[in-house]
Amino acid sequence: MKIHVAAAAVSVATIGTLLLTTGPASAHTYDGKDPYRSGCANSKVYTGKKASLSNEIDDSLGTIRLYYSRRCGTNWGEVTVPKNATGHITVFTSRKNISFTYRAGNGGHHWGDMVYAPSGVCAQATGSVTAGIGRVNKGSGTTAKACG
């Protein structure tokens, strides 16, 4: 009796582990990947969608731009901020979003991970920046939608 109970417990635990580690059915192999390391940025196109990362008194602390890879069918955001700035970049579609946290450095140029958004899917990018202490050193912005 004890052997059957232990075997059943192991089977339930294994199934639970498989369910927790299996990603959503709609996940694509490019989701969450770096556009430059994957080679997708080799076919990048600027969508023409950008936004200022503005603080509460509308001072610009940087810019976010939305890019698209023709070869990979993906979108991602890139920010230009002060060298000492930190923040987040999120790209989202109606189906999913992917967020990326950047740290100070890299000359103030950072990019987020990709979201698969093939032709006909709209995407947007939002970014935040912290470039010092106090509310005037924090800003955010969101691009308009780009629909391919």
Side-chain angles (χ1 to χ4, degrees), residues 96-141:
K96 56 192 154 190
N97 63 64
I98 304 271
S99 294
F100 179 82
T101 300
Y102 64 90
R103 296 185 223 178
N106 204 39
H109 179 229
H110 307 279
W111 53 91
D113 292 330
M114 299 182 293
V115 169
Y116 183 63
S119 183
V121 175
C122 299
Q124 282 182 282
T126 186
S128 69
V129 59
T130 299
I133 298 171
R135 294 185 315 198
V136 295
N137 290 307
K138 296 177 188 220
S140 63

Side-chain angles (χ1 to χ4, degrees), residues 37-123:
R37 287 186 183 161
S38 66
C40 292
N42 293 340
S43 65
K44 84 176 185 178
V45 176
Y46 172 51
T47 64
K49 307 301 181 187
K50 71 177 182 176
S52 177
L53 302 177
S54 300
N55 65 12
E56 65 183 24
I57 57 174
D58 212 25
D59 291 333
S60 179
L61 301 175
T63 305
I64 185 161
R65 289 178 174 78
L66 182 65
Y67 287 91
Y68 179 75
S69 169
R70 287 185 176 148
R71 181 174 68 82
C72 300
T74 56
N75 285 95
W76 67 92
E78 296 190 18
V79 297
T80 304
V81 295
K83 292 177 188 178
N84 67 331
T86 60
H88 301 279
I89 300 168
T90 303
V91 175
F92 51 97
T93 67
S94 61
R95 298 177 194 162
K96 56 192 154 190
N97 63 64
I98 304 271
S99 294
F100 179 82
T101 300
Y102 64 90
R103 296 185 223 178
N106 204 39
H109 179 229
H110 307 279
W111 53 91
D113 292 330
M114 299 182 293
V115 169
Y116 183 63
S119 183
V121 175
C122 299

